[in-house]
Structure formats: C-alpha cells, structure tokens
Amino acid sequence: MPESEQRFGEFVAVRRHEQGHVAELVLDRPKAMNAVSTDMAVSIGAACAALAADRDVRVTVLTSSNERAFCVGADLKERNSFSDADLVRQRPTARGAYTGVLELPMPTAAAVHGFALGGGFELALSCDLIVADATAVVGLPEVSVGVIPGGGGTQLLPRRVGAARAAELVFTARKVEAAEARELGLVDVLADDARTEALALAARIAVNSPVGLRNAKKAMRLGQGLDLRAGLEVEDAAWRATAFSGDRAEGVAAFNAKRRPSWPGE
C-alpha cells in the first residue's frame, strides 16, 4: 500500500512506497484514457521535477489509474482545436513531459496495462524497463494521423529494438499485442499484473545503493552510442563519483560485518 500521495494538477499523482524509496508516478485521467492534454503534460513535467530533486527516491514506477489503458497518447480532441500557432506554443510543454520522464536520475519502470499508443508508448519507452501484462497493446501509430512520433519515439525505439524493426513499426503504424511485444523486445517483462510486478521489481532494485543506482544509470545513458573507448571513460567518471561516496564506504563495511547496508545516499 502507498504511504502517501501528492497531487500534481488534476491528472497526475505521486505515491510513495517502501518508506519513500519507491515512488509511483500515476497517470490519472481515466475518463480520457490518459490522453495527454496540455494541462496533463504540465503536471507530468512538474511531478518529474519534484521526483528528480528528491534524493530519498531510489526507483520510480510509471503507472495508470485507467482499467483499459496505460496512455493513448496526445489528446487529439484538444489538438483538433489548435491553430498552427497554438501547436508551436504547446510543443515545449509536450516535450517537457516526455523528457521529464526520460531524464529522471533514478531507475524507472513502466507498468503497461491495456493500450500504450503514440505518446503513451513513448512515456513507457522513456523508462529504463517496461513491464506489461496480457492486456497490453503498444505501438507508434502517429504517421496514420499525419504526424510522426514526437515524444522521443524515433530515437528511443531504434535504440531498443534496432533500426530496421523500428522502421517497420513506425512506418506501418501497427499496434502490437503483448506476446509479440515481448518477443520483439518492445517490453521487457510479461506478468499477470503489470503494476504489481513493476512495484515488486522496483522494491528489489531499491534495496541497493542509491548513489550506485543513479551513477550506473548515468553511465549507461551517457555511454549509449559512443564508441567503446569513449564509453569506458564515461564509466570511469561514474565509478569515481561512486567510489568515494558514503554509500561505497557503507556497502563495504556492511559486507564485512555480514549485515544489511544502511545507505546514506551520498
């Protein structure tokens, strides 16, 4: 059970679990299947900024309060009323929601139940891990409505599944059900209940050093796409940032004393 909940606008909540070390970022616009409106995008960005600044959070899980969908993407009803100038003005706000999730400094997992389409799948792709259940349907169908994936999909999907497979999925705009999504690597874990499994995974991660977790994520993210030699330099910088921390001292002491570490988180 969550220990506390903080609201960010009408459509986003942050719940704390496991003495605050696991945070659940809840998409909570159920009547619209979590379609991302301008107001919701602002709230996602604000929630991510608060989470990024909270050193007590070791893992964040992105979930949905809707029984049928994780998130169906951009709010096209709202977009239908936009002028070109409106769309230009809204673009930084929309980008802020996706980059907010992508740039969270701690490990992240998405719990996908039902539809995760367009921007909804891009929110999941912005997480480090994607847990799904049998109801999951994922895809980037933007070209079928005259746009392109604009929440990171053209960059994140090829990094996850390779250029050719991403091209087929983006160009055909097809939707992929859970079993095939797991086979193609679009999701990482299939579970009976996506949220329960994602929170359990987060709890297993959260027992580890918060300094180590954040620096390991930073090394993997910054090293992606670099040649091996440059990547190893990124890793070395992250190692140095961790090796002289209080967490490293506590981890070694706890190992030798055969006790559970009490991480200082610095």
Side-chain angles (χ1 to χ4, degrees):
M1 294 292 293
E3 297 169 359
S4 65
E5 180 175 292
Q6 180 181 5
R7 301 294 304 188
F8 290 84
E10 185 178 356
F11 304 128
V12 175
V14 171
R15 298 172 183 161
R16 301 303 177 92
H17 299 257
E18 299 293 329
Q19 291 78 49
H21 296 313
V22 173
E24 186 178 354
L25 177 56
V26 186
L27 306 177
D28 189 24
R29 196 186 178 203
K31 291 182 180 178
M33 298 176 73
N34 290 329
V36 181
S37 64
T38 301
D39 286 348
M40 188 171 177
V42 168
S43 295
I44 292 170
C48 287
L51 286 167
D54 190 338
R55 300 294 297 187
D56 196 46
V57 177
R58 298 180 189 174
V59 189
T60 296
V61 178
L62 184 59
T63 69
S64 163
S65 66
N66 186 269
E67 294 182 356
R68 294 183 54 213
F70 174 75
C71 174
V72 294
D75 186 340
L76 296 184
K77 289 183 179 179
E78 180 188 61
R79 293 280 180 92
N80 192 47
S81 69
F82 279 6
S83 66
D84 288 353
D86 292 332
L87 195 59
V88 169
R89 280 192 293 270
Q90 196 235 19
R91 177 61 176 164
T93 300
R95 285 194 70 186
Y98 300 105
T99 57
V101 176
L102 183 65
E103 294 178 0
L104 283 170
M106 74 290 290
T108 53
V112 175
H113 175 84
F115 296 105
L117 300 174
F121 190 39
E122 288 173 308
L123 286 172
L125 289 170
S126 296
C127 294
D128 300 303
L129 297 162
I130 303 176
V131 179
D133 61 30
T135 69
V137 179
V138 305
L140 297 176
E142 283 89 344
V143 297
S144 70
V145 293
V147 291
I148 70 165
T154 65
Q155 305 305 304
L156 295 170
L157 190 60
R159 284 167 167 77
R160 173 174 272 272
V161 300
R165 183 161 287 166
E168 185 266 325
L169 292 165
V170 171
F171 297 161
T172 63
R174 73 183 180 95
K175 302 173 181 67
V176 183
E177 295 186 359
E180 185 186 4
R182 176 66 185 89
E183 181 182 340
L184 296 179
L186 300 174
V187 305
D188 303 302
V189 178
L190 276 184
D192 292 335
D193 184 292
R195 177 177 175 272
T196 298
E197 178 58 32
L199 288 171
L201 174 62
R204 294 195 296 272
I205 293 170
V207 300
N208 296 304
S209 158
V211 174
L213 290 171
R214 289 178 179 232
N215 283 331
K217 174 169 178 170
K218 186 176 182 180
M220 289 189 283
R221 286 284 180 91
L222 291 179
Q224 198 168 51
L226 300 178
D227 64 52
L228 179 59
R229 182 169 294 181
L232 290 172
E233 291 302 316
V234 169
E235 180 183 81
D236 187 64
W239 178 86
R240 291 175 186 277
T242 311
F244 305 104
S245 68
D247 273 14
R248 195 276 308 175
E250 168 61 13
V252 172
F255 177 84
N256 283 289
K258 297 181 172 59
R259 60 173 174 81
R260 180 176 295 181
S262 179
W263 303 114
E266 57 186 21

